[in-house]
Amino acid sequence: MLTDETRYKLLKRLEENPHINQRELANELGISLGKTNYCLKALIDKGWVKVGNFRQNPHKLQYAYLLTPKGLEEKARVTLRFLKRKQQEHEQLLEELKELREEVAALKPLEEGEV
Amino acid sequence: MLTDETRYKLLKRLEENPHINQRELANELGISLGKTNYCLKALIDKGWVKVGNFRQNPHKLQYAYLLTPKGLEEKARVTLRFLKRKQQEHEQLLEELKELREEVAALKPLEEGEV
DNA sequence: CTATCACGTTCAACGGGTGAACAAAGCGAT
DNA sequence: ATCGCTTTGTTCACCCGTTGAACGTGATAG
């Protein structure tokens, strides 16, 4: 599953550092290698990311995952979308917290240690 | 899987209204019937909830899922635990929002409609 | 007594995630 | 050039929680 969240994180991380391998990506994003591979391919298929190789540069060999111009546009869009979603989540969370606090206040006080 | 979240929601809902069936519970908690059944049984096994029947009452038959005294204690504990977790989530979310806003601010402005 | 309804209970099927295992490609030493 | 060794991408069988249709049961109405 390629969600907005992983899409966003991938594009962001790749823009920061195109010289990164899938295992590191997986670690940093907190997802498995398999999923990383799957999602990354999806980005490539869509044309947001292009793999370039740098053999010309003697040492510092390695490939790189570069954002295409379309990839940059997409990243902007996803970021905004993601921000909005997080703002909604935030409001919802505030309400939940309010309810929870009221409920806790209604309880016979408990020692903190008992939790 | 019986998480703190469903544990909390179940105990809360059952305290509010012990005369509720598993299908309604499932709807209100936003989980499947199967999971509701599974989690409810877990609460019963632990001794937090007891099923009482009310056959004596001619009409208004039906069973009921009643919180035991231990169930009430547990509910208090879970509520506090859950509140703390949500507070942490909240802080984390604020940071994420901050980062996202900075990132959005750094973009070439986009029409809202383009998202 | 039988059909129907309202329940709780079960479990085969599904789906997403995982990471071990494999394939390919580069590097260094001989 | 050859042979390991290392790094990296790719695959896919497996795991595990979730789902909801199907089933069993017991009460109700007709």
Side-chain angles (χ1 to χ4, degrees):
Chain A
M1 264 234 72
L2 176 51
T3 65
D4 260 11
E5 173 147 11
T6 46
R7 206 184 334 254
Y8 162 72
K9 286 186 182 174
L10 275 175
L11 291 174
K12 180 182 178 194
R13 199 66 193 81
L14 291 179
E15 192 185 22
E16 289 168 2
N17 173 24
H19 297 275
I20 185 174
N21 63 52
Q22 297 186 10
R23 268 162 249 262
E24 281 184 53
L25 265 177
N27 277 344
E28 295 187 9
L29 303 209
I31 60 183
S32 73
L33 178 59
K35 187 177 179 183
T36 302
N37 182 266
Y38 174 80
C39 292
L40 189 50
K41 274 188 180 171
L43 296 190
I44 294 168
D45 280 357
K46 292 265 184 175
W48 312 137
V49 173
K50 193 173 168 253
V51 298
N53 61 359
F54 292 78
R55 255 180 300 214
Q56 47 267 54
N57 197 342
H59 276 260
K60 215 61 181 166
L61 48 144
Q62 260 187 353
Y63 284 50
Y65 299 106
L66 300 162
L67 296 214
T68 65
K70 282 171 76 180
L72 283 171
E73 284 176 31
E74 175 64 6
K75 195 207 154 205
R77 262 181 257 122
V78 176
T79 304
L80 256 174
R81 234 187 295 151
F82 195 51
L83 172 61
K84 285 188 181 171
R85 231 200 54 202
K86 285 288 176 182
Q87 281 172 338
Q88 275 178 244
E89 272 183 39
H90 182 237
E91 285 174 33
Q92 196 180 326
L93 192 50
L94 283 180
E95 282 188 33
E96 277 184 51
L97 276 174
K98 196 183 149 209
E99 282 180 34
L100 277 169
R101 289 201 182 103
E102 285 169 10
E103 215 173 320
V104 168
L107 296 171
K108 182 161 42 147
L110 269 182
E111 296 299 321
E112 291 287 306
E114 289 185 41
V115 179
Chain B
M1 263 235 72
L2 174 52
T3 64
D4 260 9
E5 174 147 10
T6 47
R7 207 185 332 255
Y8 163 72
K9 286 186 182 172
L10 275 174
L11 290 174
K12 179 181 179 193
R13 199 67 194 82
L14 292 179
E15 190 184 24
E16 288 168 4
N17 173 24
H19 297 276
I20 184 173
N21 64 51
Q22 297 186 8
R23 269 163 249 265
E24 282 184 52
L25 265 179
N27 277 344
E28 295 187 8
L29 303 210
I31 60 183
S32 72
L33 179 58
K35 186 178 179 181
T36 302
N37 182 266
Y38 173 80
C39 292
L40 190 50
K41 274 187 180 174
L43 296 190
I44 295 169
D45 280 357
K46 293 265 186 177
W48 313 137
V49 173
K50 194 173 168 251
V51 297
N53 61 1
F54 292 77
R55 256 180 300 217
Q56 46 268 54
N57 197 344
H59 278 258
K60 217 57 181 168
L61 47 144
Q62 257 184 355
Y63 284 51
Y65 300 106
L66 301 161
L67 296 213
T68 64
K70 280 171 76 179
L72 283 171
E73 286 176 30
E74 175 64 6
K75 196 208 155 205
R77 260 180 258 123
V78 176
T79 305
L80 257 175
R81 234 186 297 151
F82 195 51
L83 172 60
K84 286 188 181 173
R85 231 202 51 203
K86 285 287 175 183
Q87 281 171 337
Q88 275 179 242
E89 272 182 41
H90 181 238
E91 285 175 32
Q92 197 181 323
L93 192 51
L94 283 181
E95 282 189 33
E96 278 184 52
L97 277 174
K98 196 184 150 208
E99 283 180 33
L100 278 167
R101 289 199 184 104
E102 285 170 9
E103 215 171 322
V104 168
L107 295 171
K108 185 163 41 152
L110 270 181
E111 295 299 320
E112 291 287 306
E114 290 186 39
V115 180

